[in-house]
């Protein structure tokens, strides 16, 4: 089973390269300063979210970032799986599946009632991974965003 470790400020040097690699792979343009400003509060115990490292804490192979919200529909605390990344060199070994099993269980123990995520409709392989971990599409809804 993949080890999950709640990331803290001491993990920043190990986490930043993983986040930068994910952003590069996904075509997310973001400065290191912006990335750091977004991560720092989560690593410092913000109630708005958290980051878990996957694999050995001294040499993580991936991470998952979750932001928290409140849903009347889902009965309380909910989470949005904002980012999930596994290093390319270790993909295909079931690590993402293990992470998607352990993370919701861990957060449910802390009171999380539902977890949401976003996936490209064109990414059939990732959709299947999420479906196997009991994430279901909400066909009647679509995610909409507004930047400030």
């Amino acid at each position: 089973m993949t080890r999950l470790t709640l990331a803290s400020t001491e993990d920043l040097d190990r986490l930043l390269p993983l986040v930068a690699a994910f952003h590069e792979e996904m075509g997310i343009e973001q400065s290191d300063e912006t990335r750091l400003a977004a991560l720092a509060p989560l690593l410092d115990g913000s109630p708005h979210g958290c980051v878990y490292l996957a694999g050995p804490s001294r040499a993580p192979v991936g991470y998952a970032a979750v932001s928290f919200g409140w849903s009347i529909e889902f009965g309380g605390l909910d989470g949005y799986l904002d980012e999930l990344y596994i290093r390319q060199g270790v993909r295909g070994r079931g690590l993402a599946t293990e992470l998607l099993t352990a993370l919701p269980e861990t957060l449910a123990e802390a009171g999380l009632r539902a977890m949401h995520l976003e996936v490209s409709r064109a990414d059939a392989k990732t959709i299947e991974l999420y479906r196997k971990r009991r994430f279901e599409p909400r066909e009647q809804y679509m995610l909409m965003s507004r930047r400030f």
Side-chain angles (χ1 to χ4, degrees):
M1 182 61 117
T2 299
R3 180 173 179 213
L4 288 181
T5 305
L6 183 62
S8 67
T9 54
E10 292 82 33
D11 299 306
L12 188 60
D13 290 342
R14 290 180 289 281
L15 179 60
L16 277 174
L18 293 170
V19 176
F22 173 70
H23 287 179
E24 182 178 336
E25 188 174 315
M26 298 304 293
I28 298 170
E29 293 186 25
Q30 189 176 72
S31 70
D32 289 337
E33 294 77 23
T34 301
R35 196 174 290 127
L36 178 60
L39 285 169
L42 299 179
L43 301 180
D44 199 30
S46 168
H48 300 293
C50 60
V51 179
Y52 280 87
L53 297 174
S57 58
R58 296 237 183 257
V61 296
Y63 73 96
V66 179
S67 59
F68 299 124
W70 195 263
S71 171
I72 295 170
E73 177 183 355
F74 289 99
L77 186 66
D78 67 347
Y80 183 88
L81 184 57
D82 186 48
E83 294 187 0
L84 170 65
Y85 177 74
I86 302 293
R87 286 184 194 269
Q88 284 188 344
V90 295
R91 289 183 191 162
R93 299 180 188 178
L95 298 173
T97 298
E98 290 179 14
L99 193 150
L100 288 167
T101 300
L103 183 62
E105 290 173 2
T106 298
L107 293 173
E109 290 174 11
L112 197 73
R113 305 286 301 188
M115 183 176 283
H116 317 282
L117 54 79
E118 180 181 12
V119 61
S120 168
R121 293 181 195 274
D123 190 347
K125 183 177 178 181
T126 303
I127 290 171
E128 183 60 25
L129 168 69
Y130 291 146
R131 282 185 188 261
K132 285 181 179 178
R133 300 310 335 137
R134 300 186 354 223
F135 286 88
E136 297 294 330
R138 300 184 73 201
E139 300 295 342
Q140 68 274 28
Y141 299 99
M142 70 175 167
L143 180 67
M144 297 176 72
S145 302
R146 177 180 170 189
R147 290 190 182 263
F148 298 101

